[in-house]
Amino acid sequence: MAFDLRKKNRLILGAIVIATIFIVRLFSLQIMNQEYKVTAENNAYRYVIRYPARGLILDRNRKILAGNDTAYDIMITPYEVKALDTADLCRIFDLDIVEVREKLNEYRRNRRRIGYQSIPFVKQATSRQYALFMEKAYKFPGFSGVSRTIRNYPYNAGANLLGYIAEADTAYLRANPGYRRGDYVGRTGIEQSYEHIIKGEKGYSIFLRDVHNKVKSSFEDGKYDLEAIPGKSIISSIDAELQQYGEMLMNNKIGSLVAIEPSTGEILTLVSSPGIDVTKLATINRHYNELVNDPLKPLFNRAVMSPYPPGSVFKLVNALIALEEGVIESGTKYSCSGRYNVGRGVACHPHPSPTDLTQSIMMSCNTYYCIAFRDIIDNPKYKSVTEGFSRWKEMVESFGFGKKLGTDFPSELGGNLPSTDTYDKIHGKNRWRSLSIISLAIGQGEIGTTPLHLANLAATIANRGYYIVPHIVKGSPDTLINTQYRERNYTLVDTNNFKKVIEGMYLAVNSPPGSGATARRAAVPGLDICGKTGTAQNPHGRDHSVFICFAPRDNPKIAVAAYIENAGFGATWAAPIASLLIEKYLNKEIKRLQLEEEMMQGNLIGNTLRR
Amino acid sequence: MIRANEYKKIDWPLILCYLILCFTGWISIFSAVYDQEHSQILDMSQRYGMQFIWIVSSFVIAFLVIFSVNPKLYTTLAWIIYGGSILLLIAVIFFGIEVNGSNSWFEIGPVRFQPAEASKIATTLALASLLSSYSFRLKSTQGLIKVGLIILVPVAIIILQKETGSALIYGAFIFMLYREGLSGWVLTLGILAIALFLITLSSSPFFAILTLFSLMIIARGVLCGRAVLHLFILALYLPLMFFSPMLGNLPLIAGNITLPQEAWLAITIAPGLIYHLISAIKSRLIIHWNILVCFIASVFLIFSVELVFEKVLQNHQKSRIENLLGINVDLKGAGYNVHQSMIAIGSGGFSGKGFLQGTQTKFNFVPEQSTDFIFCTIGEEWGFLGTSFIIFIYLFMIIRILNLAEKQKDVFNRIFGYSLSSILFMHFFINIGMTIGIMPVIGIPLPFVSYGGSSLWSFTLFLFIFIRLDLNRWK
């Protein structure tokens, strides 16, 4: 037993010895050794975050849409700030002295809470300002500079598409734990959708400093530094030249212009007018209030968000459904007396009568579609109006209407499509008939479609029955992305039924004068543009001018939707603008210079503001 | 089962230490990962919020162990538990997830669990069961082989999981085996050689010799039966040795002579050595000669380690050895961590910077801030007072468990207690030693303090099983 106790005591002694060694070591580290005394004066190690360059955004021809410039953030560490020449600091950065004093006082008050953290004092100072500051840095203990990359935009195009970058705010930081205060994040457009690819990875450098706030040297020659990894580039499907041209056409007009490559679903151009000027995009913080308060809402992306009545272009959908449901054949003719005279009636415009399907599209006859639509809904195949309507709705939905298409554009909205419930609420259950909802025949009433939906409709018809979800990003040179945008979405309408409708669209544009064709202003010799006009009534004043088209007729390369608010007939503004865009894309040069001039000079914003 | 009044005999000092350490861990984790966006200590999206859950669930475990588990189960189920833990250890290699390059974690939903933590308890149970059996003889070859197998099987699997640090902990069982009859020389020589090797590698020959001489004084004291006197001498001698290089700065003594610090140390210890030599000649005690021989051999070892390692070996050979030992597997990362750790602790000064006022441990740049390097935060924010207090708490626990273990009537309980104390000591020794730069970087947690559910749960279970076993003493 005594022997055992001795063994126990030896073990205890061992533990005491180790603990004593620890205490001695800690005594030397914490009390004796001055090397490790970190005070405000000789906080020898300083971490400087290295921010990565953001990935570039390129257009479909690898031209740079969004590139990078260098700017500098001047950081302040309030604990280390000494008395300083505030006036001098203000001169360098062009700041207001009163504001700076206030700011400095605030930091001073909170310095214990902030501790040794560096927080931004001046954001995005220019290289010149930074150079001036560095010369005098010794005068400003507690201040230091960090280089940041900010965007530059070689083309004045696509600001709404590219989206802006802003510092992560509190709400964002809460939702995204990987980010820290001061990080830039894409908040809209491609910058937001593809943030994870273009952001890159932060690194840091470790510096040793002396008491005069001068960085003496990099710690251990940067052995422990971490390089920032630049973000990866994104190749968008946008055609920079075409986008720029589209924005010029839409200048001083309110509305949208969308172009898609039908075979791939790639968005070539997406203009929402009025939009943001790229010169304001890089320094969005300074312009943010101005943009938000603008009555024309430049931050609102009409092309993917605004639900408009499609107007007569929707007749194309009804024509296709009527053919598929067998309620009309391509030879079916109806006569029109300038008015559909059943119930409250629907007015039409003067045109040769009677018309067959092709002519009805070419001349945009309202009567024809009122009859055809009622036949679809009241089809004896279905037991009730509700059932007929549900079938119609199902087929409309197969074109992508009434829902988000699922594009990679972050702010996309789905428009709206009425359901049987909608009408039950308006009219009472089973109290409505095909005549109650006759507005839908000509794309009016309870239906809302975004310009993107309409461009997608043009692409679907161009493809003779299917669409690929429109998207703005083709890929990235080093990462495989967007494999989901390869799948064909077929409509419920048979391919053969598209032939007659396309014939009608072709004739609407390419008929001789006096034939009653609605869109002759959109004709470009040799391009075989097929189109359909729309003139959408709306509660906000003058009719909206609408046009969708694609070209060439066989093997189409581009499908376009133009939607111009309060601009009157579809043929007056939307058709020429859409056709100019096609001419630019397919011919690379514009022959119809007079028309181009007229369209670019046209200022229609007054139409909206006057109402 | 135990009657109600016997619960009054629960060892409250141990539980108090346990609570202090848990609480220290929680607020230090809060401090280490604190940021203004999440300033609530109960924010569950953060580690401190999670640690709170771990702590509360540990209390539940502790409660269950004390009040509802029949302690007889540990003896009867020891081998089944051991077998189960071996299966888990193997299973984790195939079904676990990879964390920091080691395949030792199970992931079930949001919870991660490391079987290596729990297998220490299982191994302890198996060893206690074997060693306490009536026919067992530790000193027989067969006995040694059995004990070796029980320890080495989990160690081998854990090394396969690339968790060298955790495997090293199993070395702690040698202390328990020493108590149960293993020769003291095996222990002493083994520990001495390894310690000198590590100290020389991780600091300098100066510190190695300093340690060695201190050990020599202690050994002498213990062997002569005058431990207290020698400890007193050591207490006087240590600062003298420690500051010996400063003698060169005193103009009265040395003028402007510049000597390496080892030389100053040699000058300082020379009188002690001469005294020892004289008493060895006079007394003719073989033990004094043994100590002297050991000392001289060790000094040679120290310089040869230094020499071989720095001069003879090529760089890639060095890193291979370091890898083999599990030291500085990632030289850049490890060296950086230790440097940062020492700056953080050193900057704490005497009383620290205060709660949440630390600057060096606030950055996210040093990984493992809330797990393996949690001691830095304590050092920075609570200073020398805080670090000494924590060391005192651990020392108190280790000694108290040893004392309690020795009082057990039941051999099984005693072995369990010794194992617990030894393993606690190993963690304490390696982890704190690492953060203050006198041990190589070996990634193991600080018991009850580091962030993490597996570690906290296992140690809680370990401690409270012992506290429950200790209650049987009063039957």
Side-chain angles (χ1 to χ4, degrees), chain B residues 72-121:
Chain B
K72 287 209 179 75
L73 279 179
Y74 303 123
T75 22
T76 42
L77 293 181
W79 291 103
I80 296 174
I81 295 172
Y82 179 73
S85 85
I86 296 292
L87 286 180
L88 271 183
L89 281 177
I90 295 172
V92 81
I93 298 179
F94 299 104
F95 305 112
I97 55 159
E98 194 178 310
V99 176
N100 296 337
S102 75
N103 296 309
S104 63
W105 294 83
F106 278 121
E107 193 172 53
I108 306 153
V111 181
R112 279 184 184 174
F113 171 70
Q114 198 177 22
E117 292 288 349
S119 77
K120 287 170 205 160
I121 307 177

Side-chain angles (χ1 to χ4, degrees), chain A residues 59-126:
Chain A
D59 92 333
R60 61 190 296 115
N61 302 314
R62 306 287 199 276
K63 290 173 187 158
I64 295 173
L65 282 168
N68 288 322
D69 258 346
T70 305
Y72 296 88
D73 278 1
I74 306 302
M75 310 295 281
I76 178 171
T77 312
Y79 239 127
E80 299 176 350
V81 174
K82 300 264 166 54
L84 63 114
D85 184 351
T86 322
D88 202 12
L89 192 70
C90 291
R91 257 196 307 282
I92 297 176
F93 294 112
D94 200 13
L95 298 168
D96 180 48
I97 193 153
V98 181
E99 268 176 39
V100 167
R101 289 230 165 93
E102 242 166 59
K103 230 171 163 181
L104 287 174
N105 279 335
E106 195 195 315
Y107 291 144
R108 215 180 142 60
R109 274 197 302 278
N110 294 323
R111 69 189 184 282
R112 282 195 72 78
R113 189 175 57 76
I114 299 168
Y116 286 94
Q117 293 181 58
S118 297
I119 46 181
F121 179 70
V122 180
K123 287 178 188 167
Q124 298 179 356
T126 62

Side-chain angles (χ1 to χ4, degrees), chain A residues 398-413:
Chain A
S398 75
F399 284 82
F401 290 109
K403 61 172 185 196
K404 287 184 191 179
L405 287 165
T407 159
D408 49 358
F409 208 80
S411 50
E412 189 197 359
L413 292 180

Side-chain angles (χ1 to χ4, degrees), chain A residues 401-430:
Chain A
F401 290 109
K403 61 172 185 196
K404 287 184 191 179
L405 287 165
T407 159
D408 49 358
F409 208 80
S411 50
E412 189 197 359
L413 292 180
N416 43 58
L417 203 54
S419 63
T420 51
D421 286 348
T422 317
Y423 293 116
D424 284 346
K425 275 198 194 105
I426 298 172
H427 304 284
K429 197 154 178 68
N430 297 328

Side-chain angles (χ1 to χ4, degrees), chain A residues 9-275:
Chain A
N9 288 339
R10 278 179 205 164
L11 287 176
I12 289 177
L13 192 64
I16 292 174
V17 167
I18 294 295
T20 313
I21 291 175
F22 281 2
I23 303 257
V24 168
R25 172 72 169 171
L26 282 165
F27 185 80
S28 88
L29 269 182
Q30 299 191 289
I31 298 175
M32 300 308 294
N33 197 331
Q34 292 304 314
E35 190 188 324
Y36 295 122
K37 285 293 147 304
V38 180
T39 62
E41 274 73 37
N42 63 356
N43 184 356
Y45 295 84
R46 166 153 234 118
Y47 289 95
V48 176
I49 298 180
R50 288 191 192 169
Y51 289 100
R54 234 176 135 75
L56 304 176
I57 303 179
L58 308 170
D59 92 333
R60 61 190 296 115
N61 302 314
R62 306 287 199 276
K63 290 173 187 158
I64 295 173
L65 282 168
N68 288 322
D69 258 346
T70 305
Y72 296 88
D73 278 1
I74 306 302
M75 310 295 281
I76 178 171
T77 312
Y79 239 127
E80 299 176 350
V81 174
K82 300 264 166 54
L84 63 114
D85 184 351
T86 322
D88 202 12
L89 192 70
C90 291
R91 257 196 307 282
I92 297 176
F93 294 112
D94 200 13
L95 298 168
D96 180 48
I97 193 153
V98 181
E99 268 176 39
V100 167
R101 289 230 165 93
E102 242 166 59
K103 230 171 163 181
L104 287 174
N105 279 335
E106 195 195 315
Y107 291 144
R108 215 180 142 60
R109 274 197 302 278
N110 294 323
R111 69 189 184 282
R112 282 195 72 78
R113 189 175 57 76
I114 299 168
Y116 286 94
Q117 293 181 58
S118 297
I119 46 181
F121 179 70
V122 180
K123 287 178 188 167
Q124 298 179 356
T126 62
S127 308
R128 210 179 83 71
Q129 287 173 329
Y130 182 65
L132 276 174
F133 167 74
M134 284 312 281
E135 270 174 33
K136 299 180 176 174
Y138 66 95
K139 284 189 188 173
F140 305 114
F143 290 83
S144 59
V146 182
S147 79
R148 304 293 303 252
T149 52
I150 57 168
R151 283 298 197 203
N152 75 0
Y153 302 95
Y155 278 92
N156 187 5
N160 287 59
L161 285 178
L162 299 169
Y164 64 86
I165 302 166
E167 245 182 66
D169 57 23
T170 310
Y172 192 90
L173 291 172
R174 202 168 294 249
N176 300 276
Y179 288 84
R180 297 196 76 79
R181 202 161 271 295
D183 289 356
Y184 288 157
V185 287
R187 300 312 301 271
T188 55
I190 296 177
E191 302 272 20
Q192 181 189 349
S193 302
Y194 293 92
E195 166 75 13
H196 57 289
I197 291 168
I198 43 186
K199 74 171 177 113
E201 296 295 337
K202 280 182 294 185
Y204 53 83
S205 311
I206 308 169
F207 292 104
L208 292 167
R209 297 173 340 164
D210 63 11
V211 285
H212 305 295
N213 191 40
K214 276 189 184 153
V215 169
K216 247 192 335 204
S217 62
S218 128
F219 174 57
E220 302 262 305
D221 284 336
K223 200 166 128 196
Y224 301 123
D225 292 2
L226 185 69
E227 288 281 342
I229 303 165
K232 290 173 177 158
S233 295
I234 288 279
I235 299 168
S236 82
S237 62
I238 298 298
D239 184 314
E241 304 278 351
L242 196 67
Q243 176 74 26
Q244 194 170 26
Y245 186 69
E247 286 180 20
M248 282 158 72
L249 288 172
M250 291 299 285
N251 197 14
N252 287 325
K253 295 159 198 76
I254 298 176
S256 304
L257 182 61
V258 183
I260 298 176
E261 185 176 71
S263 59
T264 56
E266 288 170 5
I267 297 175
L268 301 168
T269 295
L270 193 138
V271 183
S272 171
S273 178

